[in-house]
Amino acid sequence: MPKELNDNICEDAVFERIYNTYAQDLQNFLYYKYGEQYNPADKAQDAFIKLWDNCKKVTLNKAKSFLYTVANNMMLNDIKHQKVVLKYHLEKPKNHTNESPEFILEKEQFLQQYQNILGNLSEEQRVAFLLNKVEGKKHSEIAELLGVTQKVVEYRIYSAFNILKKELQGFKIK
């Protein structure tokens, strides 16, 4: 009895003894409770890996309980995951949109025009404008990144905005 109190699960011989004692029983328990489809042998092995990872925290007296609890929880998590996958497969993907073909065409044309105008901006204007409007950076952050003053950044952004507004109908930014 005193030997059990001194046994450390992290020692190879002790862990091997625990493995040899409980591995087959744990695998059988999982097989009988959940069946073959959830890979009870893999879950049993994973439970022993978790035991090894937590060997300093688990006492020898609690090793069996730890193994069975961890393996059971792994099986339950796998079952939950399979239910989510099944539910996802049962849902039919939406093959239609509420947008009219005209709207989709207009949107694509607008995007193409927008990209063309952005391409025609000077590099300084385009970089400052996109950093501000797309990435959401503040003027001071952009100035620091580009190594210019905040006033220069503001000028570049607003001049790019004015060009876009002038050349692209319906262009608005909040």
Side-chain angles (χ1 to χ4, degrees), residues 10 14-15 28 39 43 49 90-91 104-105 109 112 119 122 128 132 139 141 153:
C10 295
V14 176
F15 188 82
N28 290 342
N39 301 322
K43 299 297 187 283
I49 290 171
L90 292 177
E91 290 179 4
I104 294 172
L105 182 61
Q109 289 173 346
Q112 186 65 38
S122 71
N132 180 252
H139 294 182
E141 293 174 317
V153 169

Side-chain angles (χ1 to χ4, degrees), residues 74-134:
M74 285 180 184
M75 290 297 255
L76 292 173
N77 288 342
D78 201 19
I79 291 169
K80 280 184 189 177
H81 175 70
Q82 292 300 327
K83 284 182 181 178
V84 169
V85 168
L86 180 62
K87 182 179 176 186
Y88 177 75
H89 283 296
L90 292 177
E91 290 179 4
K92 295 198 180 347
K94 188 173 153 183
N95 290 331
H96 65 283
T97 63
N98 294 335
E99 299 171 342
S100 70
E102 294 84 15
F103 177 78
I104 294 172
L105 182 61
E106 287 176 12
K107 185 170 86 172
E108 289 173 2
Q109 289 173 346
F110 186 85
L111 181 61
Q112 186 65 38
Q113 288 175 335
Y114 175 72
Q115 289 174 341
N116 287 338
I117 295 169
L118 275 181
N120 292 334
L121 293 175
S122 71
E123 183 179 347
E124 292 86 11
Q125 290 173 325
R126 184 175 49 254
V127 169
F129 181 79
L130 292 176
L131 283 172
N132 180 252
K133 299 301 179 188
V134 175

Side-chain angles (χ1 to χ4, degrees), residues 9 14-15 17-19 21-27 29-30 44 47-48 51 58-72:
I9 295 177
V14 176
F15 188 82
R17 190 175 72 219
I18 292 171
Y19 180 82
T21 304
Y22 299 123
Q24 190 60 46
D25 291 340
L26 180 59
Q27 184 178 341
F29 168 75
L30 296 173
F48 277 100
L51 177 63
V58 180
T59 63
L60 185 62
N61 297 339
K62 303 285 184 183
K64 181 178 180 182
S65 172
F66 179 85
L67 286 169
Y68 277 75
T69 302
V70 166
N72 193 46

